[in-house]
Amino acid sequence: HMLRDARATARLGACAALAKLATRLGAEHLRLAETLPFLAEALEDVSEAVREEATRLVDVLSEVSGEDVTQFM
């Protein structure tokens, strides 16, 4: 899973790509049950940029799904 890649740039790109997919396809296509554990890790990443992008992804997923996704993490 790209959110666990050793490179911060890969983790950052994975968060950004998931945000775009969620916006275009809707949250139901992202398999949130499988994605949220990785996202929870990204929110605590050593890279500030990854943490910021993960926070943005949480906001996008919450908006698209209509629910606060943090309650599932």
Side-chain angles (χ1 to χ4, degrees), residues 15-69:
C15 287
L18 286 171
K20 287 181 184 178
L21 285 171
T23 301
R24 291 186 182 164
L25 301 177
E28 64 274 5
H29 294 288
L30 291 182
R31 300 174 63 157
L32 289 179
E34 290 87 5
T35 302
L36 292 179
F38 296 103
L39 181 54
E41 289 179 22
L43 289 167
E44 297 178 5
D45 199 276
V46 296
S47 166
E48 182 178 350
V50 172
R51 290 192 309 268
E52 289 173 359
E53 191 63 30
T55 300
R56 190 175 80 79
L57 176 56
V58 166
D59 293 342
V60 168
L61 292 175
S62 294
E63 181 179 321
V64 170
S65 69
E67 297 188 49
D68 178 9
V69 298

